[in-house]
């Protein structure tokens, strides 16, 4: 006898992760190809790079971004910047398809009129991970963050209000979208090391897009 939701096809499409955090399983599936073409274009203008943390270590995740602003890290610290520090040029424009999908997802989660001004793009090769952290460099913490997962799956760590609080493990797969806001906006979170594998859409990596309102 199988459990009711063992089978993905029968699983609910909307899964609350918290009072104001909602997993929309497969929400980006239909647009995944278009999104990945957008990301490839963005990466031609603003190449993938491993940013350095203020502690002096290169992150295992490769990053690029688009929109008026993008999050950057270097030995000086974390901040949002209106130019790519590698080129001195403005970041590539935010593709309309990306902003529209994020807005539609935010609306599903009860956040009307979400207008992102920053998109950080994370690329995880097998073994890349992101340790537990809070996202608190945005000025307006009342705006949600929308995350879109593409390619190889990963285990997302969904923690609490302190670093030491127990973390739930949430598998995120190709096409999954999560909206995080309100009381859940400052929860600690991270990503376990991505396991080696191949995905038809991205080959040997996981791509995560986070759409944010930084200003
Ligand atoms: C929960 N990225 O870029 S997305 C990040 O999969 C980041 O690449 C992860 O954490 C990734 O900062 C996780 C999910 C996410 C993003 C922002 C959040 C979860 C969040 C902000 C508050 C709470
Ligand atoms: Fe984060």
């Amino acid at each position: 006898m199988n459990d009711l939701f063992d089978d993905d096809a029968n699983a609910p499409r909307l899964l609350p992760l918290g009072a104001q955090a909602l997993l929309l399983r497969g929400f980006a599936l239909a647009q995944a190809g278009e999104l990945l073409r957008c990301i490839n274009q963005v990466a031609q203008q603003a190449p993938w790079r491993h940013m350095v943390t203020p502690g002096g270590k290169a992150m295992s995740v490769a990053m690029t971004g688009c929109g008026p602003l993008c999050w950057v890290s270097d030995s000086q610290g974390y901040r949002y910047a209106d130019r790519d520090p590698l080129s001195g040029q403005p970041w590539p424009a935010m593709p309309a398809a990306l902003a529209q999908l994020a807005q539609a997802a935010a609306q599903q989660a009860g956040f009307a009129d979400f207008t992102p001004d920053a998109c950080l793009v994370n690329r995880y090769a097998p073994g890349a991970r992101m340790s537990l952290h809070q996202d608190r460099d945005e000025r307006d913490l009342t705006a949600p963050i929308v995350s879109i997962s593409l390619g190889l799956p990963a285990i997302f760590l969904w923690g609490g209000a302190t670093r030491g609080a127990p973390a739930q493990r949430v598998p995120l797969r190709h096409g999954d979208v999560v909206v995080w806001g309100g009381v859940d906006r400052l929860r600690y979170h991270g990503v376990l090391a991505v396991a080696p594998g191949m995905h038809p859409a991205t080959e040997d990596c996981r791509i995560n897009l986070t759409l944010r309102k930084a200003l």
Side-chain angles (χ1 to χ4, degrees):
M1 176 70 175
N2 288 324
D3 284 333
L4 193 50
F5 297 126
D6 266 6
D7 185 17
D8 246 357
N10 295 325
R13 301 287 99 180
L14 302 183
L15 294 162
L17 297 180
Q20 291 181 280
L22 184 65
L23 166 53
L24 300 98
R25 204 167 256 168
F27 192 79
L29 265 183
Q31 276 136 287
E34 185 185 4
L35 295 177
L36 286 165
R37 284 191 293 277
C38 290
I39 295 317
N40 284 333
Q41 283 214 355
V42 164
Q44 282 184 21
Q45 291 173 251
W48 299 107
R49 81 287 309 264
H50 293 270
M51 293 188 197
V52 172
T53 63
K57 289 189 194 167
M59 299 176 75
S60 60
V61 176
M63 294 176 172
T64 183
C66 59
L69 296 161
C70 186
W71 183 88
V72 297
S73 176
D74 59 23
S75 57
Q76 304 298 302
Y78 310 129
R79 65 198 169 275
Y80 280 90
D82 60 4
R83 288 178 179 259
D84 178 349
L86 288 184
S87 66
Q89 292 296 120
W91 296 99
M94 174 122 42
L98 205 48
Q100 279 163 18
L101 183 68
Q103 189 156 38
Q107 194 152 320
Q108 290 280 313
F111 297 94
D113 307 318
F114 174 56
T115 47
D117 57 18
C119 177
L120 176 65
V121 186
N122 296 150
R123 187 184 67 188
Y124 295 76
R129 57 188 284 276
M130 195 175 282
S131 53
L132 278 181
H133 67 279
Q134 293 173 298
D135 288 21
R136 53 185 317 150
D137 299 321
E138 301 75 23
R139 191 176 295 170
D140 177 8
L141 293 175
T142 68
I145 293 181
V146 174
S147 114
I148 304 168
S149 291
L150 298 169
L152 290 179
I155 307 286
F156 176 70
L157 292 174
W158 181 224
T162 61
R163 193 184 297 278
Q168 258 181 261
R169 285 160 151 72
V170 180
L172 292 180
R173 306 185 192 90
H174 181 67
D176 286 350
V177 175
V178 194
V179 182
W180 332 79
V183 296
D184 292 315
R185 180 63 180 72
L186 288 177
R187 299 253 300 238
Y188 277 84
H189 59 278
V191 179
L192 293 184
V194 167
M198 272 291 168
H199 191 282
T202 61
E203 302 187 319
D204 57 349
C205 70
R206 168 178 190 259
I207 305 271
N208 181 268
L209 316 175
T210 47
L211 290 111
R212 302 144 181 268
K213 189 168 179 291
L215 283 189

